[in-house]
Amino acid sequence: MDSQEASDSTATVGSSNAHDYRSAVAIAAGFAVVLLLMMVMVMIGLERIGQVHDRLDVIVHEHNVKTELLNNMRTAARERSVTLLRLSITDDPFDLDAGIMEFRAHASDFMVNRNQLEAMPLTEREQALLTEGRELTSSAVEVQERVLNKILDDDLEAATSWLLEQAIPMQNEVLANLGTLLELQQEASEAAARDTAEQYRNAVQFMSLLGTAALLIGIVVAVAVLRRSRDIEAELFREKERAQVTLHAIGDAVITIDTDGRIDYLNPVAEHLTGWSDAEARDEQLDRVFRTIREDDGQLLPHPLVDMVPDGTTCSLNQDTILVSRDGHEYAIEEVSAPIRDRTGAVIGAALVFRDVSRAREMARDLSWAATHDCLTSLANRLEFERRLRQLVTSAHHDGREHALLYMDLDQFKLVNDTCGHGAGDDLLCQLTSHMQAQLRESDTLARLGGDEFGVLLESCPLQRAEEIAEKLRRAMEQFRFDWDGRMFRIGISIGVVPVRGEHGDAAQFMSEADAACYLAKERGRNRIHVSRPDDAALCRHQGEMNCLQRINHALENDQFWLYGQHIEPITSGGPRHIEVLLRMINDEGAITPPSTFIPAAERYGLMAAIDRWVIDRVLQVARHTAPTDGHFAINLSGQSLCERGMLDYIVERIQTSGVAPGRLCFEITETAAIANLNQASRFVNTLRAMGCCFSLDDFGTGMASFGYLKTLRVDYLKIDGSFVRDMSDDPISHAMVESIHHIGQVMGIKTVAECVSHEDLLPPLRAIGIDYAQGFGLHLPEPLEPCPVPSQASTTDTRYA
């Protein structure tokens, strides 16, 4: 076309001049320029297109690699959690070993892929997410290792608790972090596509400018190049769309459809799950290939994409879906759908991404069952039992219904475990479970609350009927015989019965009351029933002791004991003054609890040795800051401390490291405790007296059957029981007892102390007898030896108790 225009222009010039050399040169030059421009245009256009094509290839390859590595990391992390779940429920040692190897292998796969990803070019956002992911992974791995250790220690209950409450949530955070990185890849791909499109538009504009300046041949060439570039661009865009779908489809099944709901692509995973090949499924309607039903009732689920392709962003669909493949096989799946858009943003179809979660869903059901049931007996566990109890309490409060709670503890179960092993104990529990279930109604809940503890919830059951059921259970257990390798065992059961009514209490109170009732049944001889009633004094006493026990433990942990002291004055000799150390307990508000309230509970539940240790440590601190002339400290030792292994060594070590002279310490032991533990008491006395400490025999005379043991027990002081001292003025027998005890002490070289001297009128007869020391409110009222442990509430009230 350019040549034709040149010919026409030369025809108008004239005959010979039309072929003028200069004109010819100009035309030739112009044509050469046009050709040169066309060549430059073609070269620049091809170079631009090639650059864009190469850039897109690099971007697609880079993000494909990143996405593959991220999906490998996600798969390794997910499979590691699945392996840990399987380990928590297996009891096969070979499966356990194989699972541990698989568990470690997944960690190795995760780290290899992460290292490869970190070696690639990363944006600041990707680097930050990877750093965050490393921290999340470190925390998750630490918890998973703890769960694995619990599994290896055969502590499956703790392993399951850690797994549900910490490991799985932490692993989900790791997966969420990887998901964010995958989203970044998608965003980067879309940004690259936009950048590529912009470059294409720039190239087209540039070529259009060149084509405008060129002649017709240049325009023709430019149009051809433009058409070709558009074809390449459209082809590249289609490849990009397929690449984006592939990014989402790695490891998952992918189906793409057009706007009419007809299938145009299935990846291999989708082919496997649906039973259709890609070629067979082409142009088929989605609901013909992708057939789904509801998991709970099997009802057919029409897919939303059949009626309308979504025009929004990616969305999750029904998560309780079962996919029915072409051959009838069923898969539990999770699915998401997303629209596919062309370069203008118009929706041209949709992508359906789904994966098989049959195994994970089955394991989740198993974990859910294990979280509420005892693995050995298949009964409800304590957690589920307490949940159902709360429901009954709510029913009692709101509907006025009456229920009952049984708390049961097997008698002699430890005998079976100790003599025949835990295998026999487990078999016994399984047999007893079946035996107990046979005695209960279908509406009743039987649960295993602990090792040999069981609970029963009797719904809509009055107290009288509950007693009958409890007695029926007791008789059944009494008649039951357990045979193990020819050895026959009888098993009894202690049962606490508590009515669940709406007048008072929550689930925790009812459980506590039932536990206390069961304890009383055991305490009163075992194999019996104790029914909790409103006026049950024994139950109230036990619960009061348990409450006091909690306060004692709290006081030990928070140093909320308070030392008081009462003088022991010399009345006939010039000996040193003694200070008997007395103990008070202070609550958080500063109220004082006297020893008569908490000492019996401490003795009953074995806490006296711990209290004695606290007192010894604190007395040594006080003695370090007082002068020797201030007196000697008399410390009471309980019978439990005399019998506790290691207590004597502890006292010796504390005295040696304190810097306090042993001669300033006098330990008081009661006569009854000394007689009951004579050998141990003698060891205490001999060891500590050899260091320089003194000993007093407290409450002397109350348990006296003979003075002979005084030859074995070398003490320095006899404290005459106050019951004799108080009445000696009016009772000749008491006077004679005090006199005889003093005489024996004088013969054996032991000084005597009169207790409970309530008024000074008792001093003359005591001096007349020759008593060495006296102690009582008539001489000195107890007073604090140190500041109150709750300074803001400091109080010196209630000092009457010794």
Side-chain angles (χ1 to χ4, degrees), residues 566-568 754-759 774-782:
Q566 185 179 36
H567 294 172
I568 303 175
E755 295 182 305
C756 299
V757 178
S758 57
H759 50 84
Q775 176 185 7
F777 293 156
L779 301 176
H780 179 252
L781 291 175

Side-chain angles (χ1 to χ4, degrees), residues 196-501:
T196 302
E198 181 65 25
Q199 292 187 32
Y200 273 122
R201 285 191 292 270
N202 293 337
V204 170
Q205 292 174 0
F206 184 76
M207 288 188 292
S208 298
L209 290 174
L210 290 177
T212 303
L215 297 175
L216 185 59
I217 187 171
I219 296 174
V220 172
V221 173
V223 169
V225 172
L226 181 59
R227 287 177 178 174
R228 178 56 183 162
S229 68
R230 285 177 177 174
D231 292 339
I232 293 174
E233 181 183 355
E235 182 179 352
L236 286 175
F237 188 81
R238 287 193 296 271
E239 289 298 323
K240 181 188 74 69
E241 288 291 340
R242 179 165 294 185
Q244 286 181 324
V245 172
T246 303
L247 288 177
H248 289 287
I250 293 176
D252 292 335
V254 178
I255 298 177
T256 61
I257 62 172
D258 58 21
T259 54
D260 295 325
R262 294 185 178 275
I263 294 174
D264 57 26
Y265 174 71
L266 269 71
N267 75 342
V269 180
E271 289 180 327
H272 169 71
L273 293 179
T274 61
W276 290 71
S277 68
D278 180 49
E280 292 172 329
R282 294 278 178 138
D283 295 328
E284 293 286 349
Q285 287 291 336
L286 178 63
D287 57 355
R288 176 172 168 78
V289 175
F290 190 75
R291 295 178 56 245
T292 56
I293 60 176
R294 187 179 289 116
E295 183 176 22
D296 53 358
D297 58 9
Q299 184 177 351
L300 187 65
L301 285 174
H303 202 280
L305 292 180
V306 173
D307 299 325
M308 182 180 65
V309 173
D311 58 0
T313 57
T314 301
C315 61
S316 298
L317 303 177
N318 196 323
Q319 300 303 307
D320 296 323
T321 303
I322 298 295
L323 171 66
V324 182
S325 70
R326 194 175 189 181
D327 58 6
H329 194 86
E330 295 184 353
Y331 300 95
I333 62 169
E334 290 180 353
E335 53 173 321
V336 295
S337 65
I340 300 176
R341 303 178 186 274
D342 64 11
R343 63 182 301 177
T344 65
V347 176
I348 60 174
L352 176 64
V353 183
F354 57 97
R355 60 192 178 96
D356 179 12
V357 294
S358 302
R359 186 176 180 186
R361 200 170 290 177
E362 181 181 356
M363 294 185 71
R365 284 193 294 266
D366 290 343
L367 280 175
S368 177
W369 184 91
T372 57
H373 290 77
D374 174 58
C375 295
L376 176 63
T377 62
S378 297
L379 297 176
N381 60 14
R382 178 180 284 271
L383 183 67
E384 176 66 10
F385 184 82
E386 291 178 348
R387 185 189 69 81
R388 297 185 187 183
L389 174 58
R390 287 194 293 272
Q391 292 178 342
L392 292 188
V393 172
T394 301
S395 169
H397 279 297
H398 293 170
D399 304 331
R401 299 171 64 187
E402 182 176 354
H403 315 288
L405 165 63
L406 308 185
Y407 198 105
M408 306 182 296
D409 195 323
L410 298 179
D411 301 326
Q412 307 304 326
F413 175 76
K414 188 174 184 298
L415 177 64
V416 176
N417 260 350
D418 292 345
T419 57
C420 301
H422 290 283
D426 291 346
D427 188 53
L428 171 60
L429 290 176
C430 293
Q431 292 187 33
L432 288 177
T433 296
S434 300
H435 210 55
M436 285 189 283
Q437 285 277 28
Q439 315 303 319
L440 300 174
R441 307 170 301 176
E442 290 186 4
S443 61
D444 299 334
T445 297
L446 175 63
R448 185 184 180 199
L449 306 179
D452 60 348
E453 297 176 345
F454 293 83
V456 178
L457 293 178
L458 303 175
E459 186 175 354
S460 299
C461 182
L463 184 58
Q464 183 177 355
R465 175 60 177 151
E467 290 185 60
E468 294 172 357
I469 294 175
E471 179 60 24
K472 184 179 178 183
L473 281 168
R474 191 199 65 78
R475 286 198 304 270
M477 295 300 100
E478 187 178 45
Q479 295 167 5
F480 176 77
R481 299 294 181 271
F482 177 63
D483 185 6
W484 183 264
D485 290 340
R487 302 180 66 179
M488 195 70 67
F489 294 90
R490 297 180 61 182
I491 303 296
I493 191 168
S494 300
I495 305 176
V497 182
V498 175
V500 179
R501 301 188 179 106

Side-chain angles (χ1 to χ4, degrees), residues 63 66-67 70 126 181-189:
H63 290 298
K66 287 183 179 180
T67 302
L70 286 169
E126 289 173 334
L181 281 168
L182 283 171
E183 291 175 359
L184 282 181
Q185 301 309 308
Q186 180 181 2
E187 293 172 3
S189 295

Side-chain angles (χ1 to χ4, degrees), residues 647-668:
M647 176 60 82
L648 179 58
D649 294 336
Y650 177 83
I651 296 174
V652 170
E653 187 272 333
R654 297 304 295 164
I655 294 175
Q656 290 174 342
T657 59
S658 68
V660 175
R664 296 191 63 194
L665 302 178
C666 180
F667 293 96
E668 294 190 6

